[in-house]
Amino acid sequence: MVVALIFAIVTFPTWPLGWHLLLDNHPINLGGSFWHSLKNSLEIAGYVAVLALVVGLPAGIVAALFEFPGRVFILITLTIPLLIPSFLWAIGWSALGGQMGSTATNLVNGKIGCCLVFLANAMPLVLWVTYAATKSLTGSQLDSARLAGGHRAILCGAGRFVFVPAVVAAVLAGVLTLSDAGPGQIFGQATAASEVLVSFASLYDYRLAAMQCVVLTLTVFVLIVPLVALTAGRLSWQILAIQVRPMCRARAGKLSIVIVMAFIIFSLVLVIAPFFGLLWPLHRGVDLSRAWSEVARTGWNTLAYAIGSSAIAIVLGMLTAICVGRSARLRAIVLAGCLILFALPPALASLGTVQATVSAPPWLDWLTRSRFVVCFEQGCRFYPIAALLVLQRWASLSGSWAQAAELHGVPSATYLWQVILPFMRPALVAAVLLIGLLSTADVGSILLLHPPGHGTLPLAIFTVMANAPEALVSSLCVVYVALAVGIVVLFLSIRKWICRE
């Protein structure tokens, strides 16, 4: 019942939109352009899902099984696009194509550019899900495979073992592209998400935007729900479980050169090339003074949204883990629900929140038109990440600790504060970092919900990128990337202290 209540709270921002459409009996013509845009979005999602699976599956297996030179640096480099707004990489590719001539510009514009940008976000997702599934293999299993056939037997066996989680991650990554409007707008490609944004922000037609968002949501349900329902049980013990005897990475040996070269190529295409495009306009001059003024103007709001959304998501995630406990059935149900919730278009909750704030009485303006609304919507949006991180850590919690505390009469509050929270600290800190970066990178929701004058740095970049000088836009993008990378590096530097139990 408590888990059901938590899911009700998380989905609460979508309720007003559904209720509004149920009461509205007037037919709405979505228009032929929306269906054409939806077709384009589905094609891009399909290309991205296939490419992410082809690249991310072997990359995740190799990264989990083998030790090779530069492993940590390469993995950090490939993960950066997950934490950065996708339209920044679109700006980089657009600038790079413009410097290389009209042929390169025409090649990048359209679906190819969208696929390149989305692949930079999708490939790390598949890589890390495959990595987590591979890490659930025991040391004895790998030893047996190594004795049976060496590296080849290990790779083949691990590939069969993690194929299902990798497929689910690839489909999820493809579905997530349906909700991202940024690259399509920059590359001039009509997509379903951009149609929803234009209907609301430019045409000021809430009914049309709401119906388009509902159609997009139904499309997401058709794609993701059957797959999650069939694989939730297997995913729960492959991704969330922690083995008693964990595997140890082996030295790649002669394969090191091939592995490192492959990862370098992936990094060049997905990360370094668009980042170089962001840097290119700076040769005409660096506008750091104005860029820093934008950081100072939006920094507090960006930090407030990051901390607020993280806190809400973590509280709900901890309550979920406490309720799930060691129940395999509940864990599978929560995992399935989290995957479905994470795949939903952000505009669904954003438009529902807009409807709720408009319908609220004036005496609630202090709440409904505050930054708390943004934090609550973002916390509900990224609750699945907090829940999965906490559940994965919770799986390794020893049941004997609770029995010993009960035997010696330790109060529940003391046990929670002095035992559970220190043990859960790595997962909680990782959730704060990840959710904070993802919530600030989600420009669409903040664009629709932020109070006037309380925008974030990515929103400032998004709103000025069409009219501001290239040097200013590039300076803002580089500053944001540097801040995000700096936060990740700081986390990795203190992770030994964080993981100390």
Side-chain angles (χ1 to χ4, degrees):
M1 291 177 62
V2 177
V3 171
L5 178 61
I6 291 173
F7 273 88
I9 294 173
V10 171
T11 57
F12 177 75
T14 66
W15 294 6
L17 179 62
W19 183 253
H20 175 75
L21 292 177
L22 285 176
L23 296 179
D24 190 358
N25 297 322
H26 298 88
I28 301 176
N29 182 16
L30 297 179
S33 61
F34 174 76
W35 297 111
H36 176 70
S37 301
L38 182 59
K39 177 177 176 293
N40 291 336
S41 297
L42 290 174
E43 289 181 1
I44 294 172
Y47 296 146
V48 170
V50 172
L51 292 174
L53 180 63
V54 171
V55 177
L57 174 61
I61 294 174
V62 170
L65 292 178
F66 298 109
E67 194 71 49
F68 51 88
R71 175 180 170 275
V72 175
F73 177 77
I74 291 173
L75 291 179
I76 293 175
T77 303
L78 290 173
T79 307
I80 288 174
L82 271 179
L83 311 176
I84 304 296
S86 59
F87 73 88
L88 263 67
W89 299 129
I91 294 174
W93 277 114
S94 179
L96 186 62
Q99 297 300 324
M100 297 176 64
S102 58
T103 303
T105 301
N106 295 332
L107 181 64
V108 171
N109 284 338
K111 293 180 181 177
I112 294 179
C114 292
C115 288
L116 283 173
V117 173
F118 286 136
L119 182 61
N121 291 271
M123 184 269 190
L125 180 61
V126 178
L127 184 152
W128 284 113
V129 170
T130 305
Y131 181 94
T134 306
K135 290 286 287 185
S136 66
L137 290 168
T138 63
S140 58
Q141 289 174 318
L142 293 181
D143 292 341
S144 300
R146 188 177 292 110
L147 291 174
H151 288 339
R152 182 175 181 180
I154 292 176
L155 292 173
C156 293
R160 290 192 297 268
F161 180 75
V162 304
F163 182 74
V164 172
V167 170
V168 175
V171 174
L172 178 62
V175 168
L176 290 175
T177 65
L178 299 175
S179 308
D180 196 339
Q185 290 186 323
I186 293 175
F187 291 126
Q189 180 65 47
T191 61
S194 61
E195 287 286 331
V196 175
L197 188 60
V198 168
S199 298
F200 182 83
S202 299
L203 302 179
Y204 304 105
D205 192 337
Y206 179 84
R207 293 176 63 247
L208 177 61
M211 184 57 67
Q212 290 173 343
C213 187
V214 169
V215 172
L216 184 59
T217 303
L218 293 176
T219 305
V220 169
F221 265 87
V222 170
L223 293 175
I224 199 70
V225 170
L227 185 63
V228 171
L230 292 173
T231 60
R234 179 170 179 173
L235 291 176
S236 65
W237 59 263
Q238 278 189 287
I239 297 177
L240 299 182
I242 296 179
Q243 295 294 346
V244 177
R245 186 199 167 193
M247 51 164 284
C248 295
R249 285 188 295 271
R251 294 189 177 275
K254 296 179 180 179
L255 293 176
S256 295
I257 298 178
V258 177
I259 293 173
V260 172
M261 289 301 299
F263 274 105
I264 289 176
I265 292 173
F266 298 155
S267 301
L268 284 173
V269 174
L270 300 180
V271 182
I272 297 177
F275 185 69
F276 180 77
L278 290 177
L279 292 176
W280 184 261
L282 296 182
H283 78 279
R284 302 190 185 97
V286 181
D287 198 353
L288 283 181
S289 60
R290 189 175 173 187
W292 185 251
S293 67
E294 287 291 331
V295 174
R297 182 180 66 86
T298 60
W300 170 246
N301 296 319
T302 305
L303 183 63
Y305 294 145
I307 295 176
S309 58
S310 301
I312 292 173
I314 286 173
V315 169
L316 294 176
M318 280 294 296
L319 288 176
T320 303
I322 293 172
C323 294
V324 169
R326 297 185 177 278
S327 172
R329 181 183 178 187
L330 266 181
R331 188 170 59 183
I333 292 174
V334 169
L335 175 62
C338 287
L339 292 177
I340 294 172
L341 288 176
F342 191 62
L344 293 180
L348 185 68
S350 301
L351 293 176
T353 305
V354 169
Q355 178 64 31
T357 56
V358 170
S359 304
W363 57 270
L364 278 178
D365 284 354
W366 63 273
L367 178 64
T368 58
R369 302 182 189 277
S370 67
R371 286 177 291 190
F372 173 79
V373 173
V374 180
C375 294
F376 179 76
E377 192 272 341
Q378 293 287 77
C380 294
R381 160 76 175 147
F382 294 105
Y383 154 80
I385 294 177
L388 295 181
L389 288 174
V390 172
L391 281 174
Q392 199 268 347
R393 182 68 176 172
W394 192 274
S396 61
L397 185 64
S398 175
S400 60
W401 294 357
Q403 296 171 356
E406 185 177 0
L407 179 64
H408 293 282
V410 178
S412 299
T414 304
Y415 176 70
L416 176 64
W417 183 258
Q418 296 187 3
V419 178
I420 298 297
L421 289 181
F423 180 79
M424 300 295 296
R425 184 170 55 198
L428 298 179
V429 174
V432 170
L433 171 67
L434 190 55
I435 296 173
L437 290 173
L438 290 176
S439 64
T440 56
D442 186 11
V443 176
S445 298
I446 296 179
L447 175 66
L448 298 179
L449 298 177
H450 79 283
H454 295 284
T456 62
L457 180 58
L459 181 61
I461 301 173
F462 186 78
T463 53
V464 305
M465 63 181 181
N467 302 314
E470 286 187 350
L472 175 59
V473 176
S474 180
S475 300
L476 288 170
C477 294
V478 171
V479 168
Y480 183 81
V481 173
L483 290 174
V485 173
I487 293 173
V488 174
V489 172
L490 178 63
F491 170 76
L492 294 176
S493 301
I494 63 174
R495 63 178 177 174
K496 291 184 178 179
W497 175 84
I498 293 173
C499 296
R500 188 178 61 213
E501 300 173 9

